[in-house]
Each structure stands twice: as structure tokens, then as C-alpha cells.
Amino acid sequence: RLDESLREATEHLQRMQNLTSAIKKALIYPAFAFIATIGALIFWMLFVIPSMTGTLKGMGVKLPALTLLLINSSRLFQEHWKLIPVALVVVPLAVSLASRHHTIRYLRDRTLIKIPVLEVILLNKLLASFAEQFRMLVTAGIPMRRLFDLLVPAMGNEYFGAHILLAKENVLNGSPIHESLNRQKILPDLVISKIRIGETSGTLDKQLDFLAKYYTKKLDDATENLGKIIEPVVMTVIGGLFALIIMGLLFPIYDLVSKVGKS
């Protein structure tokens, strides 16, 4: 079955590549908006707010807390802005070094699949990959002892992988696959149910094929809607941030106009 296995592997890799490309495409706008916002914020902190600080303090009115916060933040930013290039080098390096440790990778992967927006993408991708890889290995006749060892690296997730290896030990000790996986509490009820049906009816490969197509479709739908979900969130955050800055700069002017009007 070498030719058939290679064809299935090629189709699987092509689907995963297409989905990865779709995810990257959906994230282009949020990434651009984030970078543009950071650039604008740096410009305001370094040039706009410092140029207005003297004028605001010379108005003879009590500055609101929000205005003082902006002025102090701008001053601190001016004093320590050189740390930003250092952080851009040190932080990725630290993350890369920390990721070499199994515990750090485990905590990172567990955290990522629990973040609300990322959860929809990462969890569906993991489930689609799990079902597809499992099906291919079962169809190829790989024994369970070897199957789980091949399945874990293909998942690319330390958190999922650790629990799958625990399930492997239960399977080798005589427990059914669906019971062993259900004890780990990492798979939805639908996956456990389909695996149980496949074990009892001898159609495990067909049930896994259904799961792979089901979660691939869910992942495809999620990537299409990702931009629509993130766009209003990004716009709300950006709008709220700059609204606070504008209000902090306008409050003293409003107080001054009010005093002039009363006098």
C-alpha cells in the first residue's frame, strides 16, 4: 500500500498547507493594524505629547488624572525608549531558549488552546490532524505500540502529546482506545463517541475519516470568519486607546474654556 499511503499523506499535507495559508491570510489585517497602532502610539509618546506638555501645564488649571498619566507615561517613554530595540532582540531569544524545555512547551501549548479566539483555530486544527493521522496509521496497519509513538510528533503540541502518551499506556494495558482517550479529558465527546463506534463495529478508519473531514470543515469555516471576528475587536481597542489620549489632552482645554466662560 505504499503508493496509496503516499497519496493520502500528500493530500493531508496539502490540506494542512492550505489551511495554514488561510489562517495567515486572515491575520494579515489584524497584524497590520497592530503594527500601525504601535507606530502611531510611539509617535505620540515621543513627539506630540511632549510638545503639548508645556502648554498644558501653563494653562493655570488643575490637570486631570488622565492627562497627568499621559504626561508621565510620555516622560518615561522618552527616558527609556532605547530599551525597545533591546527587548525586540532579548524577548524572542528568551522565548526560543525557553521553548527548548519540555515543561515550558507544555505550558505554552496548554495556554494557547485556551485563549478564546485562538482556541477555535488551534483546537480544530489539532483535532483534524489527530483524526487524519490516526486514520492513516490505522489504515496502514501500524500496531498500537508504534502508532501512538508516530502520532504524538505529528500533532506538534506538547500538551496533547503528553496526554496521548498517557492514553497509550492504558491501551497497552488492555483498555479500549476510546476509554483510554476519554480519561485524558482532551477530546470532545464527538471524537470519543466516533472512536467507540469504530472500535465496536470494526470501522475505526471510516469513523476517523469522518472526524478528519468534519474538523477540517470546521477549521476552514473558522478561518473564513476569523477576519470578521477580529476586525471589530481590533477597531474597538484602537479606537478606545486613542479616544483616551484625545480626552486626556482635551480635558484641560475644556476646563480652561469653562473658566473663561464663567469669568
Side-chain angles (χ1 to χ4, degrees), residues 220-230:
D220 192 27
D221 294 339
T223 53
E224 289 183 2
N225 295 325
L226 183 61
K228 299 177 183 178
I229 296 173
I230 293 180

Side-chain angles (χ1 to χ4, degrees), residues 44 46-56 74 78:
W44 276 72
L46 287 178
F47 301 104
V48 179
I49 295 178
S51 66
M52 299 183 66
T53 299
T55 303
L56 294 173
S74 176
Q78 284 182 298

Side-chain angles (χ1 to χ4, degrees), residues 105-124 126 157-160 163 184-188:
R105 293 198 305 271
Y106 179 90
L107 294 174
R108 177 201 64 193
D109 292 342
R110 184 180 66 177
T111 302
L112 287 176
I113 63 174
K114 294 183 182 297
I115 298 176
V117 176
L118 290 178
E119 178 186 10
V120 178
I121 301 297
L122 296 180
L123 188 57
N124 283 323
L126 278 171
N157 186 287
E158 292 285 341
Y159 175 69
F160 249 69
H163 285 279
Q184 305 306 315
K185 306 299 181 183
I186 59 171
L187 298 175

Side-chain angles (χ1 to χ4, degrees), residues 63-70:
L63 297 179
L66 180 58
T67 304
L68 291 174
L69 176 62
L70 290 175

Side-chain angles (χ1 to χ4, degrees), residues 56-64 251-253 255-257 259:
L56 294 173
K57 289 184 177 180
M59 286 182 177
V61 296
K62 183 180 179 181
L63 297 179
F251 277 159
I253 299 175
D255 290 342
L256 178 62
V257 172
K259 287 186 177 182

Side-chain angles (χ1 to χ4, degrees), residues 181-217:
L181 291 171
N182 192 35
R183 291 174 189 172
Q184 305 306 315
K185 306 299 181 183
I186 59 171
L187 298 175
D189 292 339
L190 176 63
V191 176
I192 301 300
S193 176
K194 286 294 183 180
I195 293 177
R196 182 179 66 251
I197 293 172
E199 280 189 283
T200 55
S201 63
T203 59
L204 183 58
D205 57 336
K206 294 181 180 179
Q207 301 300 326
L208 291 171
D209 183 57
F210 168 85
L211 290 172
K213 292 178 179 177
Y214 174 78
Y215 284 108
T216 299
K217 180 64 169 58

Side-chain angles (χ1 to χ4, degrees), residues 84-133:
I84 295 178
V86 177
L88 292 176
V89 175
V90 172
V91 172
L93 180 60
V95 171
S96 177
L97 293 175
S99 297
R100 297 180 181 180
H101 196 278
H102 169 74
T103 303
I104 299 296
R105 293 198 305 271
Y106 179 90
L107 294 174
R108 177 201 64 193
D109 292 342
R110 184 180 66 177
T111 302
L112 287 176
I113 63 174
K114 294 183 182 297
I115 298 176
V117 176
L118 290 178
E119 178 186 10
V120 178
I121 301 297
L122 296 180
L123 188 57
N124 283 323
K125 186 176 182 180
L126 278 171
L127 294 173
S129 179
F130 168 81
E132 182 75 5
Q133 297 284 351

